[in-house]
Amino acid sequence: MLQITLPLAATSAAQLATNAELLPMAGLTMEVKGNERRVNITLKGVVCGASADTMRHFLQEAADFMGTKWCLQMKDLLVLSGRATKTLVSFAKHLRRRGFEIEVHGINENVYTVMKELKIAHNFAWPD
């Protein structure tokens, strides 16, 4: 299994101690089981401003992985800016052009509500 965790913004020790749940983070794990190469992407904290640009670079690099199944975990993602949302939708469309979908396996209620209001939730697969 391969695992990568990337802070999406520079943080100080004081920020880590007081606002750890707000810090923007991205993670990726890749698991191989037989012919299936599952890529799990996790987004956490508040992704806006410069961290949205860092997330875009992270997802561009993640897209190079040769996954056969793509999963997205956003239950600890508290805020996703408009720019970061566009990046996430572009990433999902890129995967779809390659013949894959990205399946959401957890999402913060607020982020989900925004995705529904913006009518972009259809860009992702939602398991039963």
Side-chain angles (χ1 to χ4, degrees):
M1 178 167 71
L2 170 70
Q3 184 170 352
I4 300 167
T5 302
L6 176 70
L8 299 177
T11 58
S12 68
Q15 287 174 310
L16 281 172
T18 59
N19 298 353
E21 72 278 354
L22 300 179
L23 297 175
M25 298 288 289
L28 180 144
T29 58
M30 184 168 181
E31 303 171 53
V32 179
K33 292 180 184 173
N35 290 335
E36 183 180 88
R37 293 180 307 278
R38 182 181 176 127
V39 179
N40 301 302
I41 296 174
T42 302
L43 299 174
K44 296 180 180 182
V46 175
V47 179
C48 61
S51 63
D53 293 331
T54 307
M55 185 189 82
R56 180 174 45 83
H57 293 296
F58 175 83
L59 292 176
Q60 286 171 339
E61 296 293 325
D64 290 339
F65 281 81
M66 300 303 294
T68 57
K69 182 167 177 112
W70 294 80
C71 302
L72 181 61
Q73 177 60 253
M74 298 183 288
K75 70 179 170 80
D76 295 323
L77 180 66
L78 304 176
V79 175
L80 190 64
S81 73
R83 183 170 38 170
T85 301
K86 285 178 64 174
T87 295
L88 200 54
V89 168
S90 294
F91 178 69
K93 288 179 178 179
H94 174 75
L95 289 179
R96 215 171 21 261
R97 284 191 300 271
R98 290 177 46 201
F100 304 105
E101 288 191 2
I102 188 161
E103 195 171 86
V104 177
H105 281 250
I107 188 165
N108 179 289
E109 185 178 334
N110 296 331
V111 174
Y112 180 65
T113 299
V114 169
M115 291 176 83
K116 285 189 346 187
E117 288 176 356
L118 294 175
K119 297 180 178 27
I120 60 170
H122 69 278
N123 289 288
F124 304 90
W126 302 89
D128 294 334

